[in-house]
Amino acid sequence: MNAEPPLDGFSHTAIIGAGSIGVAWAIVFARAGLAVSLYDARPERLPTAMAELRQRLEELAAFSLLDEPVDQIAARVEPVADLGQALAAADYIQEAAPEDLAVKQALFSALDGLARPDAILASSSSAIPASAFATHLAGRRRCLVVHPGNPPYLIRIAEIVPADFTDPDLAERVGRFLAAAGMVPVRVKREIEGFVFNRLQGALLREAYCLVRDDVISVEDLDRVLREGPGPRWAFMGPFETMDLNTRGGIGVHAARMGPVYARLGAERGQNDPWTEDLVAKVVAERRARLPLDRWQERTAWRDRRLMALARLKRDMRDE
Ligand SMILES: NC(=O)c1ccc[n+]([C@@H]2O[C@H](COP(=O)([O-])OP(=O)(O)OC[C@H]3O[C@@H](n4cnc5c(N)ncnc54)[C@H](O)[C@@H]3O)[C@@H](O)[C@H]2O)c1
């Protein structure tokens, strides 16, 4: 295994759990030049995991998404069947075991006991917060959630979710490290079930299920609405920027115009979370700090150029 110069102070990672997410994290870190020890509780999983890793790297190379040859990146990943050995050199540990509270509790106890005292213990957990599995640990200050999308080497978001007991500086340090490794980290300010990624995904999915349940639309047509509607815009912008650019005058005008409609749609589903004046003012203030209204036109032209590039890509890939 060829260790490279440190990346923002980190040089050796360990991935604990070599399933879908574990293998994908190994690609992220090896691609960034870090040494990776890849461990799984089922040692027989490791050869398959290494074969998957190579196959995924080859696909990335075919799309010109790697800066180095596949062999050079793959050589940084070492499958290790012993947990202590996997952790021995690691300064950053990314747990990617099944989403099961008892598994994560037992595993974090073992990690805290075996890892170097200065190593960071991050969980890929989709919904279980660190306070549920690390509260009892002597080293709980070094524990937090780093929740990826799937697969993290393509979906670059990483939700950093510290617990109340996590060292206050850790989220920022981990954020710098992940950014240096090519990820797009965001800080979730406090623990909340489902974090933000899955809460947003869940809001959409709940409504989608209701619309199919009430026979308003077919499953395929609902997917089509998203794919050909908001989806392309969401490749470049979030819902706040989307609405800001959709309405001349920005998101404040949008909220005044459409707020009552969206409130009625929410009430229909038993939700009572009106966009109050204060809340809208907070959103407007942050948007205007990012995009003064005198640059609104320029930004909508930017959006349209992005959509044109995406339209060309979709046209070229029509046969897939
Ligand atoms: N799949 C996703 O879309 C996704 C996205 C983001 C986060 N996550 C989270 O990532 C974690 C892993 O998910 P996955 O989809 O890769 O699961 P997976 O089932 O594909 O892989 C889990 C791996 O962990 C191994 N394992 C089981 N117990 C272990 C232990 N005690 N120690 C070490 N390894 C152990 C299993 O043998 C398996 O190879 C979960 O917490 C999940 O919620 C998943």
Side-chain angles (χ1 to χ4, degrees):
M1 191 165 29
N2 46 344
E4 304 284 320
L7 189 74
D8 207 65
F10 296 86
S11 61
H12 197 126
T13 61
I15 312 286
I16 308 304
S20 316
I21 294 297
V23 169
W25 273 125
I27 290 175
V28 169
F29 295 135
R31 186 178 59 181
L34 294 144
V36 180
S37 296
L38 184 62
Y39 168 85
D40 198 280
R42 290 184 302 126
E44 67 276 16
R45 163 76 192 147
L46 290 175
T48 318
M50 291 301 286
E52 284 173 15
L53 177 119
R54 175 164 281 278
Q55 190 194 355
R56 294 190 201 183
L57 283 173
E58 275 163 8
E59 281 169 357
L60 285 166
F63 277 89
S64 307
L65 287 169
L66 297 180
D67 295 333
E68 297 173 300
V70 166
D71 281 346
Q72 202 168 329
I73 297 173
R76 297 191 184 110
V77 183
E78 184 182 34
V80 185
D82 176 79
L83 184 58
Q85 196 187 324
L87 300 174
D91 37 37
Y92 179 87
I93 296 159
Q94 183 76 41
E95 171 268 322
E99 187 80 353
D100 177 308
L101 180 57
V103 170
K104 302 233 189 257
Q105 278 170 339
L107 190 49
F108 268 75
S109 295
L111 297 179
D112 194 36
L114 292 169
R116 275 173 26 187
D118 59 335
I120 291 168
L121 307 183
S123 172
S124 304
S125 162
S126 296
I128 308 174
S131 58
F133 54 78
T135 303
H136 61 294
L137 302 179
R140 63 186 191 164
R141 286 173 60 81
R142 56 169 160 165
C143 299
L144 77 176
V145 164
V146 173
H147 172 236
N150 184 19
Y153 55 81
L154 290 176
I155 307 291
R156 299 196 303 147
I157 198 73
E159 290 186 285
I160 301 180
V161 194
D164 281 350
F165 49 70
T166 306
D167 184 324
D169 297 334
L170 203 61
E172 206 190 312
R173 224 182 122 209
V174 168
R176 278 200 311 272
F177 162 61
L178 291 171
M183 300 296 288
V184 177
V186 290
R187 167 86 174 268
V188 178
K189 294 182 191 172
R190 64 178 174 85
E191 289 189 331
I192 180 170
E193 186 173 13
F195 314 132
V196 173
F197 187 127
N198 279 322
R199 288 184 89 89
L200 291 174
Q201 201 158 245
L204 193 63
L205 209 46
R206 283 197 304 278
E207 181 65 23
Y209 268 102
C210 289
L211 292 168
V212 169
R213 178 197 64 196
D214 299 343
D215 205 24
V216 174
I217 196 164
S218 70
V219 170
E220 174 53 22
D221 274 354
L222 186 131
D223 272 356
R224 204 172 268 147
V225 169
L226 257 295
R227 207 165 59 221
E228 302 297 335
R233 301 192 293 218
W234 288 351
F236 310 109
M237 300 173 295
F240 287 126
E241 183 169 19
T242 297
M243 291 315 166
D244 201 29
L245 296 184
N246 266 5
T247 316
R248 204 166 285 279
I251 196 155
V253 175
H254 174 267
R257 199 175 287 162
M258 294 299 290
V261 177
Y262 283 108
R264 283 200 300 279
L265 301 185
E268 213 183 290
R269 301 288 184 225
Q271 195 176 354
N272 179 24
D273 293 308
W275 304 344
T276 61
E277 259 179 48
D278 283 356
L279 179 57
V280 172
K282 183 176 176 176
V283 173
V284 169
E286 199 169 323
R287 280 301 311 157
R288 293 293 66 85
R290 284 204 76 78
L291 181 76
L293 276 181
D294 60 4
R295 285 181 36 225
W296 182 88
Q297 198 83 43
E298 181 192 316
R299 188 69 175 171
T300 56
W302 165 90
R303 174 200 61 197
D304 291 350
R305 284 195 300 275
R306 291 288 177 285
L307 288 171
M308 287 174 209
L310 186 61
R312 193 178 51 204
L313 179 73
K314 285 188 137 196
R315 186 195 60 191
D316 292 349
M317 300 189 95
R318 191 167 286 171
D319 58 340
E320 290 196 0

